[in-house]
Structures are given as structure tokens and as C-alpha cells.
Amino acid sequence: VIVVLAGGTGGAKLARGLLDVVEAERLTVIANTGDDVEVYGVHVSPDPDLVTYWLADLIDEQRGYGIRGDSWETMAALESAGRDPWFRLGDRDLATCLLRTELLRAGERLTAATERIVRGLGVRATVVPMSDDPVRTQIASRGRKLPLQEFMIVEHAAAPIDGVELLGADSARAAPEALAAIDSAEAIVLGPSNPVISIGPILAVAEIREAIAGASAPVVAVSPFVGGRSVKGPTEAFCEHAGLPLGTAGVVQAYRGLVDGVVSDQPLDGAEIAQLGTDTLMATPARRRELARTTLEFAATLSGANAPQTRAR
Ligand code: GDP
């Protein structure tokens, strides 16, 4: 099994690239649920859904979230009913959330509900939430505490970051399926997602962190910094808040003790871990596939094991 830890965009794009180079059944994405939110009566899992839409080739790449070609009747109706539709869910995207909510209310675990959604969209790879227990990322800003989605959407991620709290992380158990995947992994990849608010909450689940630290498989991180800058989103502001230098050095620092190697376009001089320097911008399917392939080959050199079986395209 190839395991990828992912938030939204960065990790999801790499996961999509991996789908071209390993059989779908051998790919497991462990997704961040710190962004999950209850809105309009449904349970939204932004990161697991983003990953799933990427894997299903349904993603609206222009907008960066949701389903391509989706309609927006429900949001328009909510607005005319006087409900501010600040959290934009297209109609089909909302259907994903309705299904999840129905399954959760019937007593299913979040992991099982996610699997139903993933299979329903025809994806043969596995997407596992990091935990079945609630973990909620909150941003302290100007004396207030904002759930992450409110910080991102209502505040446009522009408000000052005075603190990051991961409510529930201390007591959250890992999803058993996530631990099983790590246990049987040939390679574990920390995707190029925000280290503080996307990968951070996954690693804040103690059982996951310990399993990765003790994994026999090689663990590699792919840097979300391209040319030293974040491609999109507030990664730079969150790294600055966390005291992480921007660029490869910040990735090495964020994942110290966990990773055997780092992939970036700006390798460091004299780094303490193995490095692969390569083009890490995933603007096209070919670039996503190429980064996925070279990352796995690099990981295989770290374990000294045979390169994971790849499927040529
Ligand atoms: P999101 O902000 O919730 O969508 O989630 P992520 O944390 O997964 O995604 C944001 C991160 O993805 C940013 O730090 C970006 O720099 C990174 N990212 C986006 N596209 C690319 C890419 O093509 N290559 C790399 N290396 N990183 C990327």
C-alpha cells in the first residue's frame, strides 16, 4: 500500500498523480478532518471530499473545490430564504454531504460513510479520515476563536493568526483503517499540503504520529513550497505563526523525526535528511504523474527495497 497524508489541494493533486502510477487498490489517502464543519444541517468534510473529487476526476480545478459543472440552486434558494450561504456547496456537492450526514445519523463511523461516498463516485482508491472522532481546527484571531472554515471564507484567511487550536486532537483515536494502511505501507508520503493546518491535525492524532514515526516503510514529505513560496492559500502565514521558515527548511523542521526524506525544488545545503530536487509544480496531469513517480522512486531508495511496482501509462 502507498499511503498519502493530505489536506486539500496540494495533497489531493499528488494523490491524483499517484493514481496514474500505482494500482488504485494500492493507494490509501489519509485525509485531514480538522476542517469538518456542520452547516445547513449537514456534515461537510472539505478535505476528504476534495481528495475524492480529485481522484474521481470531478474536481472543479478552476474554483479549487467542489464538482465541475455543478449547479447552485440550493445556495440560491437559501439566500432568497434569508439564510446567508457563506459556505458555498454546489447541488451535487451538497448531495455528498447529505449522504454522509444520513449515514452518520444511522450510526455509521465517519470512515464507513466516507468509503460509501468514495465508492459511489466510482473511485477505487481508498480515502480514510484521520479519525472517526471529531477534531476541529480553530484559529484565534483578535480575541476571537474562529472555526477554520470561517477563518478561510468569512475572513478570507487574511485576519491575524494569534493561535491554532486543534480541539479534540488530544483524545482522538486514529481511524483503525488509517493505522492498518500505515502498518502495511511500502511508502508513506506527506503530501504538499499546509504543514500547520492540513498535515498538522493528522499528525496531532497521537496514534497516527506514533505509527508513522515507527513505520518500517520509508516516509517522505513533498514540499508545498514552489520557488520558496506557497502556490495558494495561507500556508506562508501559518508557517510564520508556527515559527517555521518558508521553503524546504520549514518542511524539514515541521516533520523532524518523522520523515526519512524530502522532495522539493530547492534542496538545502547540508540537510540532515535525504533530499530529492525536482520540479514540484503540478500544473498538468503529466506533471502530477511525474512528481508521483519520482517521489515513489526516491522513497524506494531510502528503504533499500525494490521500487514499488509501477504501472506505465
Ligand atoms: P487547502 O488549502 O485546504 O486546499 O489544502 P492544502 O493544504 O492541501 O493545499 C495548500 C497547499 O498546497 C499550499 O501550501 C500550496 O503551496 C500547495 N500546492 C498547491 N498546488 C501545488 C503544486 O502544484 N505543487 C506543490 N508542491 N504544492 C502545491
Side-chain angles (χ1 to χ4, degrees):
V1 179
I2 305 295
V3 172
V4 185
L5 271 56
T9 312
K13 283 180 177 168
L14 184 66
R16 179 60 191 85
L18 283 162
L19 206 50
D20 285 342
V21 294
V22 298
E23 287 148 38
E25 289 75 11
R26 292 178 55 228
L27 179 64
T28 294
V29 182
I30 301 176
N32 168 41
T33 53
D35 298 13
D36 282 22
V37 57
E38 290 271 344
V39 65
Y40 320 128
V42 297
H43 181 121
V44 191
S45 283
D47 282 350
D49 286 350
L50 196 71
V51 168
T52 303
Y53 296 156
W54 267 101
L55 293 177
D57 287 330
L58 289 172
I59 189 73
D60 187 323
E61 226 183 306
Q62 291 282 308
R63 201 167 51 233
Y65 68 91
I67 294 177
R68 199 169 55 245
D70 211 344
S71 55
W72 299 88
E73 299 294 334
T74 313
M75 293 302 113
L78 282 170
E79 186 153 33
S80 53
R83 169 65 159 105
D84 172 18
W86 66 275
F87 194 97
R88 308 283 301 160
L89 283 169
D91 296 319
R92 293 182 64 195
D93 201 3
L94 178 62
T96 299
C97 300
L98 285 167
L99 176 56
R100 173 184 299 108
T101 307
E102 182 176 55
L103 293 165
L104 291 173
R105 288 200 185 136
E108 297 262 17
R109 293 182 302 126
L110 184 59
T111 302
T114 305
E115 173 160 24
R116 281 278 297 274
I117 290 163
V118 169
R119 298 289 169 252
L121 291 172
V123 173
R124 289 180 300 123
T126 301
V127 181
V128 207
M130 64 200 196
S131 178
D132 289 317
D133 303 328
V135 176
R136 295 293 174 264
T137 305
Q138 289 216 329
I139 312 303
S141 182
R142 296 195 185 103
R144 291 183 305 157
K145 291 209 176 139
L146 302 170
L148 186 72
Q149 293 300 334
E150 247 177 84
F151 175 83
M152 297 291 285
I153 298 169
V154 181
E155 303 288 333
H156 306 288
I161 302 163
D162 302 324
V164 176
E165 277 180 46
L166 306 174
L167 303 179
D170 287 349
S171 56
R173 304 292 309 270
E177 290 84 349
L179 293 180
I182 293 168
D183 197 46
S184 58
E186 296 150 67
I188 300 168
V189 182
L190 310 194
S193 290
N194 187 322
V196 182
I197 55 164
S198 293
I199 305 295
I202 306 177
L203 296 174
V205 177
E207 288 177 324
I208 293 196
R209 188 182 190 87
E210 284 157 20
I212 291 178
S216 52
V219 184
V220 298
V222 178
S223 173
F225 294 99
V226 176
R229 304 300 306 264
S230 169
V231 179
K232 78 170 255 293
T235 298
E236 296 181 12
F238 277 100
C239 285
E240 275 159 17
H241 168 75
L244 297 170
L246 304 185
T248 312
V251 178
V252 170
Q253 188 176 320
Y255 303 136
R256 185 164 283 144
L258 285 176
V259 298
D260 304 302
V262 62
V263 179
S264 77
D265 62 352
Q266 296 183 335
L268 299 172
D269 287 336
E272 69 235 53
I273 56 171
Q275 296 186 83
L276 173 71
T278 186
D279 181 0
T280 54
L281 187 63
M282 296 179 283
T284 63
R287 288 301 318 154
R288 293 193 274 277
R289 177 164 61 236
E290 203 42 31
L291 182 59
R293 192 180 58 74
T294 51
T295 298
L296 289 189
E297 284 171 4
F298 172 58
T301 65
L302 298 178
S303 71
N306 294 325
Q309 215 184 318
T310 55
R311 178 159 58 91
R313 273 233 175 153

